[in-house]
């Protein structure tokens, strides 16, 4: 990209040292050179700064530093590790505004939403600062008079993490929190479009007292650095958040070294509104579930199924409510919907709408690029959507709400489950029996009942089928970074 113009992010920060044009390799900060990789503001295309294009040797150095630091870190008490995490949490919240400004500059989401992500991201550090001390083992009744059985939980060791651009803070802390709490080390490769949020987290981690070498942040070619991380036998776990396509590729790359895997992949969430639902509540829930981060989340409502009795009123209310919300630059006051991340994302949205209308859908609202041009798109509502359209099968990852009409519960459960994905799902009904019947029948890792937002550190986040493996957050999240060790004590007469 030619450097059209620069965006002066430092001028917006209270602590400009958080914006560091460098990568962290073990305990070494490596500054970007003039040939570094440009990071741009998705709203304007302006250059925010540069990061270094690291080499395979840099990645190997980070892994070696992690292996060394991890041994001493695991030897510290869980309470001690928790106290360092607590200090990291306190620093994140003390710098919430600056971290949010960095996030909005490189990812585009409106500043209030970015501040919300910082608090959400920090909540995983808060949660696992406490969970660190609950890695309980077992003492099991022996299988012979002279035997005693102990089960220990020990950290997996060195963890590689690869994260996406859509939540450039929270997708990192949702992995780093349990990893460090368990006594692991982490080598992180953040998304190339949003590295500065990750680098700022590393700056604060150093200040919190995280030992040198325990946390590296690598920037550069995903393919090149990913190849080193997945091939290294020192790396005992890969935790990845991103597309199912890349997740499957990384799964295969990890196979020769039999790594533990955590995969948070793509979604195709159904959002079901029954005739007996509170329609106003369902509209508010749909706006959160569909349009949070301008539709760029893996748990976004990708298909909205509305029962025939309330279909028209729901469509009318949704369109009316959306018309009151503003699209624009994430730093502009009053903006609810920011830009899409890049031109490729805009093209996918346009293709999905064109495909749907060509097959008979109608545009109830929006349906075209926003007057601001570039990466901005009008919030869109499509009606008359059917299962043969691309929006039914593919993740749109943009501000498009396709409304499907249905008649019966059996029909909508079958339709909702007719996908390779199984991450999040949502339903609105005031009938308790219906809420249980449908929740239990939906083939998904998460179900929101009368709510459009399920993500929280206290609950296990994750999916089934092509949406991934493992869970992040909750008391279960720590186990994904621990190994069980069985001690059999004999000769105890
Ligand atoms: N389940 C969940 O929690 C989430 C799922 N997603 C899914 O991810 C997709 C959108 O996010 P997006 O970032 O485009 O996803 P991608 O899968 O393209 O990228 C995710 C991360 O993987 C890296 N990557 C890409 N190719 C390789 C490779 N060959 N080897 C190693 N690393 C690689 C990227 O690096 P680089 O940036 O350098 O390309 C980035 O850091 C959607 O499908 C969405 O549903 C997104 C967020 C959360
Ligand atoms: O990247 C994502 O889509 C996140 O997992 C969404 S959430 O955790 O903020 O719901």
């Amino acid at each position: 990209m030619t450097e059209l113009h620069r965006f002066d992010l430092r001028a917006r920060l209270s602590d400009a040292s958080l914006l560091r044009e460098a990568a962290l390799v073990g305990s070494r900060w490596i500054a970007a050179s003039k040939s570094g990789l440009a990071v741009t503001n998705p709203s304007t295309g302006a250059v925010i700064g540069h990061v270094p294009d690291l080499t395979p040797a840099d990645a190997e150095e980070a892994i070696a530093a992690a292996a060394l630091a991890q041994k001493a870190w695991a030897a510290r008490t869980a309470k001690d590790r928790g106290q360092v995490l607590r200090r990291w949490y306190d620093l994140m919240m003390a710098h919430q505004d600056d971290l949010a400004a960095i996030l909005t500059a490189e990812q585009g989401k409106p500043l209030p939403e970015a501040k919300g992500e910082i608090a959400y991201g920090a909540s995983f550090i808060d949660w696992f600062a406490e969970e660190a001390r609950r890695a309980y083992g077992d003492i099991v009744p022996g299988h012979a008079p002279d035997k005693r059985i102990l089960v220990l939980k020990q950290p997996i060791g060195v963890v590689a993490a690869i994260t996406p651009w859509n939540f450039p803070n929270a997708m990192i802390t949702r992995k780093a929190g349990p990893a460090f709490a368990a006594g692991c080390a982490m080598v992180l490769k953040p998304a190339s479009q949003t590295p500065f949020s990750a680098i700022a987290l590393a700056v604060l981690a150093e200040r919190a007292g995280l030992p040198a070498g325990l946390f590296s942040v690598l920037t550069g070619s995903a393919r090149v650095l990913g190849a080193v991380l997945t091939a290294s036998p020192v790396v005992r776990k890969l935790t990845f958040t991103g597309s199912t396509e890349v997740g499957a590729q990384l799964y295969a790359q990890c196979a020769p070294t039999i790594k533990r895997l955590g995969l948070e992949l793509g979604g195709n969430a159904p959002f079901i509104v029954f005739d007996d639902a509170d329609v106003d509540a369902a509209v508010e829930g749909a706006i959160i579930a569909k349009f949070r981060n301008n539709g760029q989340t893996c748990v976004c409502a990708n298909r909205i199924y509305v029962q025939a009795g309330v279909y028209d009123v729901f469509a009318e209310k949704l369109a009316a409510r959306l018309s009151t919300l503003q699209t624009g630059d994430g730093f502009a006051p009053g903006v609810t919907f920011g830009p899409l991340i890049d031109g490729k994302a805009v093209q996918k949205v346009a293709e999905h709408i064109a495909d749907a209308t060509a097959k008979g859908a109608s545009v109830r609202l929006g349906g075209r690029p926003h007057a601001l041009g570039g990466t901005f798109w009008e919030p869109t509502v499509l009606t008359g959507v059917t299962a043969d359209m691309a929006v039914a099968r593919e993740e749109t990852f943009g501000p498009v709400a396709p409304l499907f009409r249905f008649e019966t519960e059996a029909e909508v459960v079958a339709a909702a489950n007719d996908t390779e994905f199984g991450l999040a799902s949502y339903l609105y009904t005031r009938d308790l029996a219906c809420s249980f019947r449908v929740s239990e029948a939906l083939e998904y890792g998460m179900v929101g009942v009368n709510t459009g937002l399920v993500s929280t550190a206290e609950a296990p986040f994750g999916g089934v089928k092509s949406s991934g493996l493992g869970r992040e957050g909750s008391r279960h999240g720590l186990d994904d970074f621990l190994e069980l060790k069985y001690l059999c004590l004999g000769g105890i007469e």
Side-chain angles (χ1 to χ4, degrees):
M1 157 167 296
T2 55
E3 295 205 12
L4 303 174
H5 51 290
R6 281 190 74 92
F7 176 87
D8 187 3
L9 177 53
R10 277 190 179 81
R12 287 180 174 272
L13 303 181
S14 306
D15 180 351
S17 70
L18 289 175
L19 180 61
R20 192 168 288 189
E21 296 183 80
L24 179 57
V25 176
S27 53
R28 278 196 313 135
W29 284 98
I30 298 175
S33 64
K34 286 237 179 295
S35 61
L37 303 173
V39 180
T40 59
N41 178 330
S43 200
T44 63
V47 174
I48 301 168
H50 295 79
V51 292
D53 189 2
L54 296 182
T55 68
D58 295 321
E60 293 290 2
E61 181 183 337
I63 292 169
L68 194 60
Q70 189 269 330
K71 293 278 182 281
W73 179 245
R76 292 166 69 166
T77 65
K79 181 178 179 182
D80 186 22
R81 294 199 297 268
Q83 286 172 340
V84 173
L85 290 178
R86 169 70 53 210
R87 287 199 295 271
W88 195 20
Y89 166 79
D90 292 341
L91 286 168
M92 286 177 197
M93 294 311 292
H95 294 278
Q96 184 180 12
D97 290 347
D98 280 354
L99 293 175
I102 292 169
L103 198 158
T104 292
E106 61 180 3
Q107 195 273 341
K109 67 182 68 173
L111 205 50
E113 188 170 349
K115 282 187 71 173
E117 180 182 338
I118 301 305
Y120 172 58
S123 74
F124 289 98
I125 304 304
D126 174 48
W127 174 262
F128 286 105
E130 296 166 353
E131 285 300 291
R133 298 163 72 183
R134 296 175 182 78
Y136 302 140
D138 300 312
I139 294 181
V140 181
H143 50 295
D146 72 324
K147 297 289 187 304
R148 300 295 182 271
I149 296 173
L150 303 182
V151 180
L152 309 183
K153 285 186 178 179
Q154 294 185 317
I156 275 182
V158 174
V159 173
I162 299 176
T163 53
W165 51 261
N166 63 342
F167 286 81
N169 175 285
M171 290 310 94
I172 293 169
T173 57
R174 196 161 79 180
K175 301 170 187 304
F180 295 142
C184 297
M186 179 173 279
V187 180
L188 165 68
K189 205 295 299 177
S192 301
Q193 291 165 304
T194 56
F196 288 125
S197 294
I199 292 162
L201 282 172
V203 170
L204 293 179
E206 274 187 337
R207 293 182 194 172
L210 208 70
L214 198 75
F215 185 32
S216 287
V217 179
L218 307 181
T219 59
S221 161
R223 189 182 49 73
V224 169
L225 299 174
V228 176
L229 295 176
T230 52
S232 169
V234 175
V235 172
R236 296 312 317 138
K237 175 181 170 117
L238 171 73
T239 174
F240 169 76
T241 297
S243 63
T244 293
E245 180 192 0
V246 173
Q249 183 183 326
L250 296 173
Y251 200 164
Q253 287 177 216
C254 288
T257 49
I258 314 292
K259 290 179 180 28
R260 180 86 74 87
L261 278 170
L263 298 175
E264 294 291 352
L265 306 178
N268 182 6
F271 185 102
I272 304 169
V273 183
F274 287 97
D275 279 344
D276 74 320
D278 174 336
V279 173
D280 291 321
V283 166
E284 291 309 312
I287 287 176
I288 294 170
K290 171 67 255 183
F291 292 93
R292 183 163 66 100
N293 200 15
N294 209 15
Q296 301 173 112
T297 92
C298 58
V299 292
C300 275
N302 204 57
R303 298 166 286 158
I304 300 180
Y305 294 96
V306 187
Q307 200 160 18
V310 293
Y311 186 92
D312 294 336
V313 65
F314 179 88
E316 194 64 35
K317 285 176 176 273
L318 179 62
R321 182 79 175 82
L322 285 168
S323 303
T324 67
L325 303 173
Q326 192 184 335
T327 295
D329 185 289
F331 286 106
V335 164
T336 303
F337 306 128
L340 291 168
I341 189 68
D342 57 22
K344 198 173 90 179
V346 174
Q347 187 183 346
K348 185 171 189 182
V349 165
E351 285 170 359
H352 276 192
I353 293 170
D355 171 81
T357 51
K359 292 174 182 170
S362 302
V363 176
R364 179 64 190 74
L365 182 76
R368 60 189 177 192
H370 192 277
L372 290 171
T375 51
F376 295 97
W377 193 271
E378 291 189 354
T380 296
V381 176
L382 301 175
T383 56
V385 182
T386 51
D388 59 316
M389 298 171 187
V391 288
R393 296 184 310 279
E394 299 168 13
E395 193 174 33
T396 303
F397 234 59
V400 180
L403 306 190
F404 299 71
R405 183 192 296 265
F406 75 91
E407 300 292 342
T408 69
E409 181 181 307
E411 170 198 346
V412 75
V413 168
N417 286 336
D418 182 18
T419 172
E420 66 172 297
F421 296 103
L423 191 59
S425 55
Y426 309 88
L427 67 105
Y428 274 74
T429 176
R430 283 186 271 214
D431 180 316
L432 186 61
C434 172
S435 66
F436 269 90
R437 274 198 312 273
V438 176
S439 296
E440 291 166 356
L442 287 170
E443 297 164 0
Y444 292 83
M446 301 178 281
V447 184
V449 179
N450 295 328
T451 179
L453 182 59
V454 298
S455 307
T456 182
E458 291 81 359
F461 185 104
V464 298
K465 303 198 285 188
S466 292
S467 290
L469 298 170
R471 293 296 184 269
E472 295 186 332
S474 82
R475 67 180 181 83
H476 301 284
L478 195 66
D479 285 337
D480 277 18
F481 292 86
L482 292 166
E483 287 289 5
L484 293 179
K485 179 177 283 177
Y486 155 41
L487 275 60
C488 183
L489 308 182
I492 302 178
E493 302 292 353

